[in-house]
Amino acid sequence: MVKLNQKSYIAGSWIIPSSEVFQSKSPVTGKALATYNSCGLAELEAAASAAQTAFAEYRVCSHIQISEFLNTIAEEIESLGDQLLETADAESGLGIPRMTGERARTCGQLRAFADIVAQGQWVQASIDTAIPDRKPVPKPDLRRMMRPLGPVAVFGASNFPFAYGSVGGDTASALAAGNPVIVKGHPSHPATNELFCHALDAAITRCNMPRGVFSMLQGATHELGGELVKHPVVQAVGFTGSLGGGRAFMDIAASRPTPIPVFAEMGSVNPIFVATDAMSTRGEAIGTTLAASVAMGTGQFCTSPGVVVTTGNADFNTAVAKGLSETPRGLLLNDNIGNALVRAVKEITARSDVKWLNQVELSDSDTSTPPNIVLKTSAQDFLVDKTLQEEIFGPVTMIVECDNEQQMLQVADSFEGNLTATVHATDKDKTQANALLERLEQFAGRVIYNGFPTGVEVCPSQQHGGPYPASSAASTTSVGADAMLRFARFVAYQGLPDAYLPSALKNDNPLNLLRKVNGELTQSKILPVYTGV
């Protein structure tokens, strides 16, 4: 068992900063669990300096070295055993079964990126050989591939302490692409963050990696996060959290003397549309399953369905209300989430255009175990007031009732960016479903048919992102193989002699990659037609 020292981890050293103290707290009992000191500018500067030094060495590590490093991190996480599960459960209240599954996902992500790196194809090597005697202008030798950006700042999320935590998908994909990482650990689970640092420390030692390749700053202040994004060493940001937090980091990054990209996953209501025949033939069943999806994880998934668009059906409404009312209340992760939920529900249910279908008394004590809530409004009111589209993070969904199918399309046209959008339909709904699907792909990163958005399969074909405000970069994904492309950029090499080229672009193809050579995919070697002389 690892002995927790209640410190931050900076480039191989364990540090107790002199800044303010904060504590993690059990969502179950409300009692304090562990005490940590927030990092300040001195600790940030030390982590940034070490990351910059490490980048020079880490960026030129071979694909095999980085692959082994990622696999070793996964092994070290697993070697923490039950201590990691129990610590995360104490700080999050998510339960041992949930944490066990999330650990498997986290280690699976690391190993998946390790395989991608080992194969080498992710660099997208492309070669156009020279034609020195081309008329009227000679053609130069041009070769292009993806290269790492530099040190990446990662912000851990509260709702997934492992999969989006200190060594979650953002950290794993940034390391896979050849970048050092500085993590700002989430203050809700600092002891969990520390255990991950012990795993990283062991993996760095085993693989002889530069110490500055990973640092983790504990802290509960917003100022620390802002200063991290501002630091000139940091070249990109990975963030999962609220729209307010993500937008603040986007603005800070854009205002730097040298702006940097922020890859932020933010709010999403993940609308579900129920077509006419699907509603009449299986509306009650859809409503029951919808209730389970809304209540899953106490609604604290970024893919929780927060809006359901229908043409009105009393049995459907009853099924949703009954399913949510009968589902046991779950725990919210922290006081901030609970206070925001209670405040938002009180505000929206005070409106005359919103009805609470399964209403119960809501008190300030419900900030830890809120009721599962279904609201209802009309499409007419929904269309004229954009605030009804705002996410309420927790087990809350809103049914939007349309007068007809045409009004349902108008509602679809009104949505801003979302992570997902869903259509439930039958073969008889083909015309309506086609019209909806054409619209849904305009504002959603993942379009679902006869399913539910909760649950994100980690695989190469997954897209976890969407147009703003769901994420800050609609063309990227934070899940799946392409997540590492966020932290790399294309570099073209013109006229370089073979000896100076990266291995992926050399004539004899030492990595045995499938490369695009003069427009054709091939693993063949290239004759040295151009020497650069």
Side-chain angles (χ1 to χ4, degrees), residues 382-443:
F382 189 83
L383 287 168
V384 298
D385 190 347
K386 283 286 188 181
T387 64
L388 292 176
Q389 288 194 26
E390 294 176 359
E391 178 186 24
I392 300 177
F393 192 67
V396 181
T397 195
M398 177 181 289
I399 296 172
V400 178
E401 290 193 340
C402 302
D403 294 333
N404 49 52
E405 293 180 6
Q406 185 59 40
Q407 193 175 50
M408 184 179 282
L409 297 181
Q410 292 174 350
V411 171
D413 287 333
S414 76
F415 277 102
E416 296 181 327
N418 273 268
L419 294 174
T420 75
T422 301
V423 172
H424 282 268
T426 70
D427 289 344
K428 292 182 179 180
D429 294 314
K430 185 175 181 180
T431 299
Q432 184 185 9
N434 274 332
L436 283 168
L437 291 168
E438 288 175 0
R439 288 161 168 80
L440 268 52
E441 71 172 19
Q442 297 300 309
F443 68 80

Side-chain angles (χ1 to χ4, degrees), residues 39 85 89 102 136 157 174 225-226 246 252-253 256 271 305 309 321 329 348 384 459 471 511 516 527:
C39 288
L85 303 178
D89 177 41
E102 198 174 320
I252 292 171
R256 288 174 34 145
V309 186
R329 296 188 181 194
I348 199 168
V384 298
C459 65
S471 67
L511 304 182
K516 185 179 286 187
L527 295 176

Side-chain angles (χ1 to χ4, degrees), residues 309-332:
V309 186
T310 76
T311 49
N313 184 286
D315 290 339
F316 172 82
N317 294 354
T318 299
V320 178
K322 182 173 184 288
L324 286 171
S325 296
E326 293 180 351
T327 300
R329 296 188 181 194
L331 280 167
L332 292 176

Side-chain angles (χ1 to χ4, degrees), residues 24-357:
S24 60
K25 188 172 75 170
S26 167
V28 179
T29 66
K31 294 181 179 180
L33 297 173
T35 301
Y36 285 80
N37 290 72
S38 290
C39 288
L41 292 179
E43 291 76 29
L44 169 56
E45 190 60 46
S49 177
Q52 186 175 38
T53 300
F55 182 51
E57 180 179 346
Y58 189 62
R59 68 184 296 273
V60 295
C61 284
S62 73
H63 63 300
I64 297 301
Q65 288 174 303
I66 294 178
S67 176
E68 290 178 350
F69 180 43
L70 296 173
N71 280 321
T72 303
I73 295 171
E75 292 174 7
E76 292 295 338
I77 290 172
E78 290 170 341
S79 72
L80 293 170
D82 291 343
Q83 182 183 11
L84 179 62
L85 303 178
E86 292 165 359
T87 300
D89 177 41
E91 292 187 320
S92 69
L94 291 173
I96 297 296
R98 159 74 185 272
M99 299 320 306
T100 301
E102 198 174 320
R103 180 180 61 183
R105 172 178 169 175
T106 301
C107 294
Q109 287 177 159
L110 285 160
R111 291 189 169 107
F113 284 125
D115 289 344
I116 293 166
V117 173
Q119 293 165 12
Q121 304 298 146
W122 79 272
V123 300
Q124 301 178 45
S126 178
I127 299 171
D128 284 277
T129 56
I131 307 177
D133 55 355
R134 189 184 67 176
K135 305 297 183 184
V137 179
K139 177 188 175 185
D141 184 276
L142 274 166
R143 307 183 183 212
R144 190 180 80 155
M145 64 180 290
M146 299 208 82
R147 302 296 293 148
L149 293 178
V152 173
V154 170
F155 290 82
S158 63
N159 58 338
F160 282 87
F162 294 175
Y164 287 97
S166 295
V167 197
D170 285 345
T171 294
S173 55
L175 290 173
N179 307 282
V181 171
I182 304 171
V183 172
K184 161 61 173 66
H186 197 282
S188 289
H189 33 75
T192 304
N193 298 336
E194 184 184 330
L195 285 174
F196 278 122
C197 292
H198 285 281
L200 259 294
D201 187 62
I204 289 168
T205 299
R206 285 178 57 186
C207 296
N208 195 30
M209 287 294 171
R211 285 289 169 185
V213 76
F214 181 83
S215 292
M216 191 277 297
L217 306 175
Q218 303 274 25
T221 65
H222 294 301
E223 290 77 12
L224 176 61
E227 292 299 327
L228 179 56
V229 175
K230 288 179 186 177
H231 200 285
V233 163
V234 172
Q235 297 301 302
V237 176
F239 171 84
T240 300
S242 68
L243 174 59
R247 182 56 195 252
F249 289 149
M250 291 168 64
D251 291 344
I252 292 171
S255 67
R256 288 174 34 145
T258 303
I260 59 171
V262 173
F263 300 104
E265 181 206 310
M266 301 174 287
S268 184
V269 295
N270 307 292
I272 292 177
F273 294 78
V274 185
T276 304
D277 190 62
M279 180 64 84
S280 71
T281 57
R282 50 187 177 87
E284 187 174 350
I286 294 171
T288 300
T289 310
L290 168 67
S293 181
V294 172
M296 183 182 295
T298 322
Q300 296 169 113
F301 291 165
C302 51
T303 53
S304 183
V307 173
V308 189
V309 186
T310 76
T311 49
N313 184 286
D315 290 339
F316 172 82
N317 294 354
T318 299
V320 178
K322 182 173 184 288
L324 286 171
S325 296
E326 293 180 351
T327 300
R329 296 188 181 194
L331 280 167
L332 292 176
L333 292 159
N334 56 55
D335 290 341
N336 289 337
I337 292 173
N339 291 331
L341 184 146
V342 170
R343 182 170 59 252
V345 171
K346 286 184 176 180
E347 289 176 358
I348 199 168
T349 54
R351 301 173 51 141
S352 61
D353 55 357
V354 174
K355 182 179 180 181
W356 186 347
L357 295 184

